[in-house]
Amino acid sequence: MAHGSRLKAFPPKKNMTTSSSFPLAVHDLTVVYRDKPAIQDVDVNIPAGKLTAIIGPNGAGKSTFLKAVLDLLPRVAGTVEVFGKPYRQQRQLVGYVPQRASVDWDFPTTALDVVTMGTYGKLGWVKRPGKAEHDLARQCLEQVGMADFASRQISQLSGGQQQRVFLARALAQDAEVYFMDEPFVGVDALTERAIITLLQDLRQRGKTVVCVHHDLDSAPEYFDWVMLLNVRLIAAGPFDSTFTADNLRKTYGGAMKAAIDHFAHFEQSKG
Amino acid sequence: MEIVITGILISVACALLGTFLILRKMAMMSDAISHAILPGLVAGYFFAKGPDLFAGFLGALVAALVTVTLVEALKNTQRVGGESAIGIVFPAMFALGTFLVARFFENVHLDTDAVLFGNIEFVAFDRLFIGDVDFGPQSYYVAGALCLINLLFITVFYKELKLATFDAGLAATLGFSPFFIHYALMALVSVTSVGAFTSVGAVLVVALMIVPAAAAYLLTDKLPMMIGLAAGIGALSAVLGYGLALAIDSSVAGAIVSVAGAFFFAAMLFSPSHGLIAKARRIERQRVQIGLEALLVHLLNHEGEEGEAHESEMLHLSSELRWLPQFAQQIVGVAANRGLVMQVNGHLILTDNGRRQGQQLMVY
């Protein structure tokens, strides 16, 4: 009883977006796949209101990092905090866009219905989505340029359109920080533009976005912040000071000439 | 009549869950559960010292959850693949069951034949008496209750089931435990199996869960519709199956499942959206369309050139576009019918309409 009244006297702040609590603070995160570490001792704080790319070679644990953060994979060690509190208490503030290929697009449902799924978290158990949820879902489809496809069967959408449906669904979650697993993979140019416009729009609204990304060419143009990962965290920071030849060599291994070429290209475009 | 009503109720109860088993690609799991509940039933029989419905359900539920847990555990060792894990666990459970039956209950009602094939023919003999009043066959109440429970489950948790089936990852991040939904569904599959089991037996329970739902999957792209169709096909199979069994004087359970199988086969062939015939038609249409476009573009490309006369010869079409003469003739025939080309002295000439369409194709 006394405990309850104390809570009333000092209501917790709803969105703790103060500078002291990062949208994502990861401490000593280790994830093991079979008997090998997939993520080893990663410490990173992702800043608010930035677009952050997670970059690294195949098998570097980029998706694993996201999944471990979201409690979809067991952590061997480490803590994950979202705006200063354990992730489990902050689910409502987190939006997730899984890899497109992770679901069965032959599932008998429509684009609008998939987007509406984004609203389920706020609805909670049992309660059904109503007009408000469907209206929100429709708005979200419109934001990704898919308003005309609302009642389209999801199996009839192209890869890029399916990706945009997934993004619309994340928008419908109305989160503060978004985790996206390779949103640019296998999409057409139109969708790529739509996604990047959307990301910039989210940033403008003060949201934080963390994307697994593997195209080194487009990364500097799209993102403000980078997290270079190869099982261990190689470097994390603002793009310009972190996306260096030295760091890329460490991330991709010294022999990885392609990565270095990309870097040279990046330097040129900066110059 | 009592057999038909029992059959309908059981078919519907099975089909409701079957829809989600199909969508979760877990048809084999229902097979596993329907067999693996046998030791549970025997244990129930043993503790109740006789056939007792409640003890049977409880035993089966425990056995089913043990099976699902073992399968998951075996999968998690990553030493055997998903389907193999099921293949290892359920025969072991079923073997344990048959072993127990043969060893301890040799002379009782619970024989292996009944377990495998059920005996829906006898439902009229197990009646529910309260005092001296006959409330009809016991199976009405069992099958009816199962129908109701399953309907309630998929109605109340429709949103959660749909989300966890389509995207378990998102379900988990939104706080809907896919684990809970998985086990709840498995628990209902096991309870429903017990109910259906006494009527149609362990082998055919699987068919009632999976076959109507698989047929429904081919007939619609809407989930509520798929659930309704699955239940409808299940119920219809029960009615027609009973009629068939009477007509040819054969096993009712066998006939019900045969009819359900016929429905599936018909759906596979004739479904307007996903049927094999519709698909073949679609492919043929595309083939003609692509051929037509190639013809228009080809003629347009060579229009006004020196070699135009040569390029537009029928014979040349076959060799230049690598078409079989029959196909070339078919395409030219269609093109002529639609007023896109004309034949003049054995040469093909684009009509104005054909030229316009060809130019549209070349815009890209």
Side-chain angles (χ1 to χ4, degrees), chain B residues 93-139:
Chain B
M93 294 290 280
F94 191 67
L96 179 67
T98 47
F99 170 79
L100 290 175
V101 171
R103 177 70 185 79
F104 299 110
F105 303 103
E106 213 171 343
N107 299 317
V108 294
H109 175 67
L110 195 68
D111 63 289
T112 36
D113 260 12
V115 165
L116 283 175
F117 304 113
N119 40 19
I120 197 170
E121 287 87 346
F122 301 140
V123 292
F125 300 117
D126 278 328
R127 305 192 80 83
L128 181 71
F129 284 101
I130 295 179
D132 279 340
V133 189
D134 181 359
F135 280 91
Q138 222 180 29
S139 62

Side-chain angles (χ1 to χ4, degrees), chain A residues 34 72 87 91 96 98 103-104 106-109 113 117 120-121 124-128 153-154 166 169 173, chain B residues 23 25 78 155-156 158-160 162-163 165-167 169-170 172-177 180 217 221 223:
Chain A
R34 297 204 182 176
L72 296 174
Y87 162 71
R91 285 185 202 284
Y96 175 43
V103 306
D104 174 15
D106 283 331
F107 193 88
T109 193
D113 194 41
M117 288 178 188
Y120 287 7
W125 285 87
V126 178
K127 209 172 155 222
R128 295 286 188 94
Q153 202 54 44
I154 55 171
F166 256 19
R169 187 178 70 171
Q173 285 183 249
Chain B
L23 292 175
K25 306 187 172 30
Q78 298 182 341
T155 313
V156 172
Y158 178 73
K159 172 179 109 228
E160 289 77 9
K162 185 169 71 178
L163 177 61
T165 301
F166 176 64
D167 192 342
L170 183 74
T173 61
L174 291 182
F176 302 105
S177 163
F180 168 78
Y217 181 65
D221 284 329
L223 182 53

Side-chain angles (χ1 to χ4, degrees), chain B residues 2-12 120 143 208 234-235 238-239 256:
Chain B
E2 279 155 350
I3 300 174
V4 180
I5 291 177
T6 304
I8 291 176
L9 289 173
I10 285 177
S11 303
V12 171
I120 197 170
L208 286 186
V239 176
I256 291 177

Side-chain angles (χ1 to χ4, degrees), chain A residues 8 12 49 88 145 198-200 244-245 247 259:
Chain A
K8 246 176 220 159
R88 272 166 207 258
L198 186 77
L199 293 186
Q200 284 161 357
T244 61
N247 281 338

